[in-house]
Amino acid sequence: MTQQTAPDVAGLSYEQARDELVRVVGELEQGGVPLEQSLALWERGEALARRCEEWLAGARARLDAARAGEG
Amino acid sequence: MTGTTSTGAGPAGAVRADAADGPATRDAPWSVSVLSTKIKGWIDRLGSVWVEGEITQWGVSGGNVYGKLKDCDLDATVSFTMWSSVRNRVPADLKRGDRVIALVKPDWWVKGGSLTMQVVDMRHVGLGDLLERLEQLRRTLAAEGLFDAAAKKRLPFLPHCIGLVTGQGSDAEKDVVRNARLRWPQVEFRTAYAAVQGDRAARELTGALRRLDADPEVDVIIIARGGGDFQNLLPFSDETLVRAAAAASTPIVSAIGHEADRPLLDEVADLRASTPTDAAKRVVPDVGEELVRMRQARSRMLARVTSLVGHEIQAIGQLRSRPVLATPERALDVRAEELTRWSARSSELVDRAVESAARRVDELAGHQRALSPQRTLDRGYAIALLPDGSALRHASDAPAGTSLALTVADGVLSTTVDDAGGDDGGAR
């Protein structure tokens, strides 16, 4: 796929990042991608997964803070 | 509604002639009894009259009633006396504040020189008349749209300052303030006291209402009175008050505890409360109840968001654990193995090619050796070389005296040609 033109991961919403991650994983699993490109795909997937995890960790921290403040 | 009844009392002429027929002068004064008797004569000529007014004082003493009757609109009051015999005939529930018609007979007491109004009969102002007047006003105001639901203003959710119109020190005031504070301790009140019954009530209520409506800090006004009978509530149907309430820009709550015969203020108010307590409850939200509701909403919200985030965390975890992401080296390993395989194969092929070339070289070397002149020499032939190194092929090329080098199988001999030979012979 055209990963070169993909937007910066940091600018993606959680859903955008997750959906693209699913697509990247599917593409990698299907195979048939030139090695250089699959390496680029994998790097992209890593970045997307990190972005999603960061977002979720932040969300969880906020929930915990809200819960702590509620008492 | 007043009427005179002639009592047939005698004219002033009833006075004894010897007392004084002419006007009293310094030289011929009247006796006190003449004066008093003359006054009685004049007063008696008024006879009995029906009057309408409001009882403003009602004191019972020795079975008799001593009270005061006040004009319904203007400032005029008279005292009256009702003997116990009359009292037994009139309605037993007459009391202070009631609007009545009374048949009174002015009575001058000659001996004491005092004037009293003897009540001969007394009854409530015809309820039917009042109701008729009230209904008429209700229809007029309704036709003007003063009671329309669309004209009702919304009450603020939480008022900062409540305007309260009520009687000073009344139970209604206590009920409103206590119940409002119970629900929301920080609530503020601005109270404007007014008479809530009697002839001053309508005017004072209207004034208090206008004052509070003009106060920018007051964001809702409660008009409260703790019930009362139909006549006591008449001021709350006063046209001026009702119109003032309709014109007010502040939302108005009426809390006149009366179910039947609702006063017109109830119709025009933005909210009608059944009692002062009810008004406080409707105007001020219960802080505890609201906090509980808020807490519930927050915990439901939190639970929902927590489960959403948990679900996503799981989904991302699963994506993460897929081999392509978890062990991306595997893809490289496969290719590395391929590479190794191909490289091994290629060196094998190269080895094989080198070997076959070496064999070919050996073979060719064999052939090469087989074609060498040495073999011919071995069989006994010799080669004669001329001094210039070329092979001697023709006898004519070697005249006598020519030096020849004879090459045999294992050496070279130097010779000289002795005799030039013919065509048939050489040096063999």
Side-chain angles (χ1 to χ4, degrees):
Chain A
M1 296 206 92
T2 50
Q3 298 301 320
Q4 296 89 334
T5 58
D8 185 24
V9 165
L12 297 179
S13 75
Y14 171 78
E15 277 74 19
Q16 286 171 328
R18 184 202 54 199
D19 292 349
E20 195 185 331
L21 175 59
V22 170
R23 216 163 46 237
V24 165
V25 169
E27 227 172 304
L28 282 173
E29 284 178 340
Q30 230 171 9
V33 181
L35 188 58
E36 194 176 339
Q37 202 175 324
S38 55
L39 195 65
L41 263 183
W42 173 77
E43 280 170 356
R44 179 77 181 164
E46 269 300 310
L48 290 166
R50 236 185 346 266
R51 160 92 183 123
C52 288
E53 282 165 353
E54 275 167 16
W55 196 96
L56 290 171
R60 191 146 54 178
R62 278 158 68 182
L63 287 176
D64 289 345
R67 211 177 270 114
E70 192 186 23
Chain B
M1 200 169 261
T2 53
T4 17
T5 313
S6 173
T7 56
V15 177
R16 276 192 307 278
D18 63 336
D21 277 337
T25 63
R26 209 168 67 182
D27 296 328
W30 287 347
S31 66
V32 170
S33 74
V34 170
L35 172 67
S36 193
T37 308
K38 277 184 179 286
I39 291 173
K40 181 173 173 59
W42 281 102
I43 287 174
D44 281 347
R45 280 162 64 184
L46 183 60
S48 302
V49 294
W50 280 102
V51 295
E52 180 179 359
E54 184 191 324
I55 300 172
T56 55
Q57 190 180 307
W58 183 270
V60 180
S61 172
N64 307 320
V65 178
Y66 301 92
K68 286 186 176 173
L69 203 56
K70 189 182 181 303
D71 191 278
C72 292
D73 299 313
L74 300 175
D75 196 11
T77 304
V78 294
S79 303
F80 67 83
T81 306
M82 184 191 284
W83 303 125
S84 54
S85 56
V86 178
R87 196 177 165 223
N88 291 334
R89 286 189 281 113
V90 302
D93 59 350
L94 284 170
K95 61 188 181 306
R96 183 171 158 248
D98 285 1
R99 194 158 171 176
V100 295
I101 51 169
L103 180 63
V104 297
K105 184 180 180 300
D107 184 51
W108 183 259
W109 186 33
V110 175
K111 281 187 187 171
S114 60
L115 178 69
T116 55
M117 299 291 159
Q118 296 294 335
V119 175
V120 182
D121 197 0
M122 185 182 275
R123 59 191 65 170
H124 286 112
V125 166
L127 280 179
D129 288 354
L130 276 175
L131 280 172
E132 175 54 38
R133 268 186 262 166
L134 209 56
E135 279 313 305
Q136 181 67 40
L137 182 57
R138 189 189 300 271
R139 279 194 296 274
T140 308
L141 296 178
E144 286 179 31
L146 262 59
F147 304 158
D148 285 1
K152 305 276 184 220
K153 287 177 279 293
R154 259 181 83 100
L155 265 51
F157 170 69
L158 175 61
H160 293 114
C161 184
I162 299 175
L164 178 58
V165 177
T166 190
Q168 184 152 20
S170 64
D171 286 345
E173 179 188 9
K174 290 187 202 103
D175 284 352
V176 171
V177 172
R178 191 181 56 238
N179 282 290
R181 291 249 157 86
L182 272 179
R183 295 164 73 81
W184 197 286
Q186 287 82 10
V187 77
E188 268 183 58
F189 277 98
R190 199 141 303 167
T191 308
Y193 295 116
V196 291
Q197 67 183 48
D199 62 308
R200 287 176 302 130
R203 206 171 52 244
E204 289 190 15
L205 287 168
T206 307
L209 170 63
R210 287 193 174 133
R211 241 182 358 264
L212 290 177
D213 186 36
D215 188 332
E217 284 183 34
V218 171
D219 40 22
V220 60
I221 297 173
I222 298 175
I223 301 176
R225 188 202 199 283
D229 67 23
F230 171 71
Q231 289 201 342
N232 286 343
L233 297 184
L234 278 177
F236 294 93
S237 291
D238 180 82
E239 184 170 355
T240 312
L241 175 64
V242 172
R243 286 190 184 281
S249 56
T250 314
I252 297 207
V253 177
S254 73
I256 323 293
H258 200 258
E259 276 304 321
D261 300 323
R262 284 159 50 176
L264 295 183
L265 183 66
D266 272 2
E267 309 283 354
V268 82
D270 298 297
L271 180 79
R272 177 185 170 268
S274 58
T275 59
T277 299
D278 183 43
K281 287 181 177 168
R282 309 268 295 262
V283 165
V284 179
D286 186 321
V287 67
E289 223 170 81
E290 291 302 325
L291 282 177
V292 166
R293 214 172 289 163
M294 229 32 66
R295 209 165 16 241
Q296 280 171 351
R298 284 179 67 192
S299 76
R300 278 174 61 187
M301 222 162 54
L302 194 60
R304 179 81 189 114
V305 173
T306 303
S307 98
L308 266 178
V309 170
H311 184 261
E312 287 302 325
I313 286 174
Q314 232 174 7
I316 296 297
Q318 268 170 9
L319 280 172
R320 260 272 195 234
S321 66
R322 298 273 267 276
V324 286
L325 282 189
T327 51
E329 306 81 12
R330 197 169 293 176
L332 290 180
D333 288 350
V334 169
R335 263 121 170 148
E337 273 166 34
E338 261 172 26
L339 201 60
T340 314
R341 214 160 47 235
W342 284 113
S343 128
R345 175 95 178 113
S346 74
S347 59
E348 190 186 316
L349 287 175
V350 169
D351 278 355
R352 210 175 290 168
V354 169
E355 263 170 42
S356 115
R359 266 198 310 277
R360 180 80 182 127
V361 167
D362 279 353
E363 245 172 58
L364 289 173
H367 287 305
Q368 169 72 13
R369 275 192 297 276
L371 292 172
S372 161
Q374 185 68 37
R375 293 288 175 96
T376 312
L377 297 178
D378 285 349
R379 287 205 307 270
Y381 292 91
I383 302 169
L385 296 174
L386 292 169
D388 64 359
S390 60
L392 177 64
R393 286 187 169 79
H394 306 287
S396 58
D397 290 344
T402 306
S403 297
L404 292 175
L406 284 182
T407 303
V408 296
D410 58 354
V412 178
L413 302 171
S414 296
T415 60
T416 306
V417 178
D418 291 340
D419 189 13
D423 291 340
D424 65 325
R428 68 182 72 167

